[in-house]
Amino acid sequence: MATAAVQAPPLREYPVIPILARDAMAGSRPYPASEKMNEALGFPGKLVDGWREKAVLKIGELVAKNRGLRVFLDACVHCGACTDKCHYFLGTGDPKNMPVARQDLFRKVYRRYFTLGGKLFPKLVGAEDLTESVLEDWYRYFNQCSECRRCSVYCPYGIDTAEITMAAKEVMDSIGVGQKYTNEIIGKVHKIGNNLGLPGPALKNTLETLEEEVKEETGQDVRFPLDEKGAEVLVVTPSADFFAEPHVYSLVGYAKVFHAAGIRWTLSSHASEAANFGVFIGSQAQMKAIAGRVREAALELGVRRLVVGECGHAWRVAYSFWNTLIGPFDFLDSRYPVPQHICELTYDLIERGAITFDREKNDAHVVTFHDSCNVARASGMGGLPRGQFIIPRAVIRAAANHFHDMAPETIHEHTFCCGGGGGLLTDELLELRVKGALPRMEALQKVVDEHGVNFMATICAICKAQFAKVLPYYKFDMGMIGGVHQLVSNAIRLGRND
Amino acid sequence: MPVLTIVYACLFYAAAAVLVAGFAWKVAEYWRAPAPLKIPTTPAPATPAGAAVRVAREVVLFESLFRANKWIWLFGWLFHVALALVLLRHLRYFQDPVWGVVALAQPFGIYAGFAMLAGLAGLWARRFLVERIRYISTASDHLMLALLVAIAASGLAMKYVAHTDVVAVKAFMLGLLVFDWQPLPADPVLLVHLALVALLMAVFPASKLLHAPGVFFSPTRNQADDSRERRHVAA
Ligand code: SF4
Ligand code: SF4
Ligand code: SF4
């Protein structure tokens, strides 16, 4: 296959819904996982004999143990309300990237084997056998869904394509059709403790270097503790925060917040990863095993509070699932929410006047905020309605003078995914990632033109990595992307507690 | 007893049995399947009571659809509200004496018949005119619309074109309820209307009409946003 350079679609002033471009993205498929990677997670190494029967059995098992999946498969009326809601459809025009069409790839198989209509009159109801070419479509197009749930907001029955994508990935994993990027990374977490495969000693070194750098820059002894027993707070953050840019600036921000507020905190080498790719492949067993490390670390270190760093899907897993998967948290301080988002913690301290800012230190930045979809649509903050929109913005405004929101239909629960979530942040999917970012880029262009925005803050490690990569394709500077706590780090006053 | 009456009586018992049994079966399936994790979609209310109100708003106002697409909302909502009025109006065939609300609904029920057709026409037109919706439409989507249009049209035809003996129809229906069969008028339009309704009842549990119970069981809508406060354990 020719590897033509990826081209970004042109930005338009008034986005229109694309006309259908059939099979436009049929060539987009991620690398398959190797036998070893699949087996490390307890999946068959390669496509099993009798895969069709096994896949059908698996589908039956999944619908029996998941009410949502069953309802979603039955309830769709093909109204079409979701057809123009997916950023991947908007960016590629491929009709199979319309949420309902993506669901139908699964639904047609479900209908064929599990419904009366599909057994008797498959053609009539759009039911189809699970053939090799259907499986191939699954592999392509369920790996073109970032599980961002935007479509679910608009569906009259709340049908969540992400749940169907997860189910499809679960079925595929169960017959040996795993995806390399996700499965390899999950293997690393089990073996080493984080997605990046960064072993404990290397982590220790990195943190010591950071301490020295911050000392040099600020003259303050801001600490980056690792495995400190008796600390009050355990921070679990995406491992990208330890050395990727711009992620690490946010980590410095967290450290400064704890320093300024005088809270004893620690990171853990055992749970050195907040990301939980188990959710991407729809495996509750994997999710639970990965999250289990956090509980173990919290107990081992004897902390009183659990705080999660800037990471979208990790916050979803923590906020929505941890209590179910690894709770109850009766060994932690019940005066604080468990888990707590770093933005909630910082916001609280701001409200109480425990930390203050020299806002003009951020005057070079004209800031906008990208709502990460997992935070926006699948979690909350602060126990207040829409807190996940209010709190990060309040933190930004406390730390910076210039802030402008993007267009209302592109933020809050309507936010567009960055284009790299759901286990798609891998180079062979670059074309998809660039095109999927189109709606966000168009919204960004508007505030750049109108307000001179030059900094897009976000609270998701995947968003940061994805934007750093795709911004240049749209002629933006990759340095435009950064974390909310990066702004906090720039402007927070440190002196007082020393 | 005319054969026709016997055939239609049996038809309706059969259709009702399929509808009730199939519906109960599906609802039991939804009920029994556990919800393993909390997956409400923003904006999710913080309490179960709030979530119930949210579901009610979806059912009555089609709130999410309104935010998604004004045309689909308009046609879809129009159709469903009209259908509700028409069903209310039809209750008079099953009651003696007739409830006050049902009597009150009578004149509106007629207009509703037309509104129903208009809504259906709009929805159907979109299946042809909008490329995206044409792409996702299956034969059964078209057939379902055809069935509903035919039911509405035959119903209106009895009001405006070929009158039928509604007193006799009422006697037939009331008779069905107490297993005391009364003769059914042999008007062709009526027979078509009733046969199609029976068909609709019978396909209900095996078709996309399951969106009706489904909306109540959709976890993204009926779950409260309280995962940190209350430990959710899959039931
Ligand atoms: S909005 Fe919901 S019901 Fe309508 S087509 Fe999409 S998934 Fe189906
Ligand atoms: S979940 Fe997001 S990526 Fe997947 S189909 Fe829906 S809108 Fe598209
Ligand atoms: S990376 Fe960010 S925007 Fe993209 S799917 Fe995840 S949370 Fe959403």
Side-chain angles (χ1 to χ4, degrees):
Chain A
M1 203 174 63
T3 47
V6 174
Q7 284 271 322
L11 298 181
R12 304 147 307 176
E13 190 165 353
Y14 301 102
V16 286
I17 302 163
I19 49 171
L20 304 188
R22 281 175 203 248
D23 295 329
M25 294 303 284
S28 176
R29 72 200 294 287
Y31 297 142
S34 71
E35 278 187 47
K36 254 174 80 192
M37 292 169 195
N38 283 335
E39 278 161 5
L41 308 191
F43 303 135
K46 55 178 199 291
L47 191 63
V48 293
D49 293 329
W51 59 268
R52 182 177 300 113
E53 293 68 33
K54 288 188 178 135
V56 170
L57 277 178
K58 185 77 187 178
I59 295 173
E61 199 184 293
L62 293 182
V63 291
K65 68 170 201 208
N66 188 336
R67 178 187 300 157
L69 183 62
R70 172 155 248 156
V71 170
F72 298 157
L73 290 170
D74 280 341
C76 175
V77 295
H78 281 173
C79 72
C82 62
T83 52
D84 58 348
K85 302 298 183 262
C86 178
H87 52 288
Y88 290 122
F89 171 68
L90 295 174
T92 68
D94 190 318
K96 286 181 185 153
N97 277 329
M98 300 190 293
V100 50
R102 195 187 315 283
Q103 297 160 22
D104 276 351
L105 296 175
F106 194 101
R107 188 175 287 119
K108 66 185 179 186
V109 176
Y110 164 77
R111 285 217 172 120
R112 182 70 180 112
Y113 298 97
F114 296 95
T115 69
L116 193 64
K119 283 179 188 162
L120 299 178
F121 317 104
K123 285 258 159 54
L124 191 75
V125 300
E128 216 177 302
D129 285 324
L130 181 54
T131 60
E132 244 161 80
S133 87
V134 169
L135 182 63
E136 179 56 35
D137 256 5
W138 277 31
Y139 190 70
R140 288 178 182 134
Y141 289 98
F142 287 118
N143 281 303
Q144 295 188 36
C145 170
S146 58
E147 302 171 359
C148 76
R149 313 180 85 215
R150 186 167 196 264
C151 43
S152 168
V153 168
Y154 298 99
C155 173
Y157 319 113
I159 294 174
D160 184 357
T161 315
E163 290 291 312
I164 294 176
T165 295
M166 290 173 194
K169 289 185 178 171
E170 233 188 322
V171 172
M172 288 191 284
D173 275 330
S174 78
I175 56 169
V177 185
Q179 192 244 58
K180 176 170 180 253
Y181 174 70
T182 47
N183 291 9
E184 184 176 30
I185 279 181
I186 294 173
K188 278 190 205 158
V189 180
H190 291 319
K191 231 162 107 196
I192 305 170
N194 52 59
N195 285 4
L196 295 173
L198 192 68
L203 183 55
K204 191 151 188 56
N205 272 338
T206 310
L207 295 174
E208 280 166 6
T209 313
L210 275 176
E211 258 173 34
E212 286 159 22
E213 282 173 12
V214 176
K215 168 94 185 174
E216 214 164 280
E217 179 207 329
T218 65
Q220 303 284 330
D221 288 310
V222 175
R223 303 203 50 235
F224 292 78
L226 182 67
D227 295 330
E228 278 197 9
K229 285 207 174 166
E232 190 189 346
V233 175
L234 169 63
V235 174
V236 187
T237 203
S239 55
D241 281 3
F242 298 130
F243 68 89
E245 287 192 12
H247 310 61
V248 68
Y249 304 128
S250 283
L251 177 64
V252 174
Y254 319 153
K256 287 183 182 170
V257 167
F258 288 118
H259 176 89
I263 300 172
R264 275 196 68 196
W265 69 295
T266 185
L267 293 157
S268 153
S269 54
H270 183 63
S272 52
E273 181 61 72
N276 192 327
F277 280 23
V279 67
F280 294 159
I281 63 167
S283 164
Q284 190 164 333
Q286 288 298 332
M287 248 192 280
K288 190 176 167 127
I290 296 168
R293 303 179 76 98
V294 176
R295 185 186 172 93
E296 289 153 17
L299 284 166
E300 161 74 22
L301 296 170
V303 294
R304 311 284 300 141
R305 299 166 62 182
L306 261 179
V307 169
V308 178
E310 297 182 354
C311 184
H313 81 278
W315 179 237
R316 175 184 194 190
V317 174
Y319 178 93
S320 294
F321 305 157
W322 270 6
N323 207 354
T324 300
L325 296 174
I326 57 167
F329 294 111
D330 38 18
F331 58 96
L332 296 173
D333 189 339
S334 61
R335 288 171 304 169
Y336 298 93
V338 185
Q340 190 176 29
H341 195 279
I342 186 73
C343 283
E344 288 181 303
L345 179 135
T346 302
Y347 175 74
D348 235 34
L349 295 170
I350 294 169
E351 291 286 282
R352 299 206 322 251
I355 53 176
T356 51
F357 296 91
D358 294 317
R359 253 187 250 161
E360 53 293 342
K361 291 207 173 142
N362 272 317
D363 274 355
H365 297 309
V366 183
V367 184
T368 193
F369 181 66
H370 163 75
D371 286 288
S372 296
C373 33
N374 274 299
V375 177
R377 285 187 280 267
S379 80
M381 272 187 209
L384 37 126
R386 314 181 74 73
Q388 72 269 45
F389 310 134
I390 298 165
I391 287 176
R393 286 174 173 79
V395 172
I396 294 173
R397 283 177 191 277
N401 279 316
H402 308 294
F403 178 80
H404 301 278
D405 255 324
M406 287 179 276
E409 65 278 11
T410 72
I411 57 170
H412 298 168
E413 69 264 39
H414 307 286
T415 188
F416 281 107
C417 172
C418 62
L424 308 180
L425 192 76
T426 173
D427 281 343
E428 71 270 23
L429 297 180
L430 189 60
E431 181 186 359
L432 177 80
R433 287 165 52 193
V434 168
K435 291 181 172 168
L438 176 74
R440 173 48 77 226
M441 293 296 103
E442 284 176 333
L444 177 62
Q445 184 69 55
K446 269 216 161 123
V447 284
V448 167
D449 292 344
E450 284 166 19
H451 304 288
V453 163
N454 60 13
F455 190 91
M456 180 159 68
T458 187
I459 45 175
C460 171
I462 295 177
C463 298
K464 289 173 195 168
Q466 155 75 353
F467 283 128
K469 182 95 182 185
V470 305
L471 278 167
Y473 286 88
Y474 290 93
K475 315 245 176 331
F476 295 114
D477 176 22
M478 67 177 265
M480 273 182 85
I481 189 71
V484 167
H485 279 77
Q486 183 174 340
L487 297 170
V488 167
S489 173
N490 293 343
I492 191 169
R493 287 198 193 121
L494 288 179
R496 214 179 46 187
N497 290 301
D498 298 282
Chain B
M1 185 70 39
V3 180
L4 189 72
T5 303
I6 298 173
V7 168
Y8 268 76
C10 293
L11 183 67
F12 266 87
Y13 286 135
V18 172
L19 173 67
V20 171
F23 196 85
W25 174 267
K26 285 312 288 192
V27 167
E29 258 183 7
Y30 297 154
W31 195 280
R32 276 201 309 260
L37 293 168
K38 288 297 283 274
I39 57 167
T41 314
T42 306
T47 62
V53 172
R54 179 188 197 185
V55 171
R57 284 202 312 265
E58 291 290 1
V59 171
V60 177
L61 303 173
F62 299 9
E63 193 174 48
S64 295
L65 186 57
F66 183 79
R67 305 209 298 174
N69 187 306
K70 300 292 185 281
W71 285 113
I72 305 177
W73 178 85
L74 178 71
F75 295 133
W77 195 76
L78 186 68
F79 163 69
H80 282 87
V81 170
L83 177 66
L85 276 172
V86 168
L87 287 177
L88 195 61
R89 179 178 150 88
H90 278 69
L91 269 187
R92 69 177 167 150
Y93 291 105
F94 301 90
Q95 307 177 313
D96 197 25
V98 168
W99 293 348
V101 271
V102 178
L104 217 66
Q106 293 307 310
F108 302 106
I110 289 291
Y111 298 118
F114 289 103
M116 213 170 115
L117 268 184
L120 288 169
L123 291 173
W124 209 349
R126 288 185 62 82
R127 292 215 180 274
F128 290 104
L129 299 179
V130 181
E131 191 193 17
R132 284 171 284 126
I133 302 185
R134 194 163 66 227
Y135 178 91
I136 59 169
S137 297
T138 60
S140 57
D141 295 328
H142 288 286
L143 285 179
M144 188 58 75
L145 282 163
L147 180 59
L148 291 166
V149 165
I151 290 172
S154 56
L156 285 168
M158 277 182 282
K159 177 77 191 170
Y160 292 103
V161 187
H163 279 281
T164 205
D165 182 354
V166 290
V167 178
V169 175
K170 177 160 183 166
F172 172 77
M173 289 299 173
L174 285 171
L176 279 187
L177 294 181
V178 293
F179 298 96
D180 170 21
W181 296 355
Q182 303 297 319
L184 180 71
D187 297 330
V189 188
L190 173 69
L191 297 181
V192 167
H193 187 69
L194 292 182
L196 294 178
V197 170
L199 179 62
L200 183 70
M201 288 163 67
V203 299
F204 196 109
S207 72
K208 65 177 184 176
L209 300 185
L210 287 173
H211 68 279
V215 64
F216 294 96
F217 286 94
S218 176
T220 60
R221 294 294 183 267
N222 72 13
Q223 289 184 342
D225 172 20
D226 59 359
S227 49
R228 286 194 294 191
E229 293 75 22
R230 257 200 268 191
R231 181 159 189 251
H232 170 83
V233 189

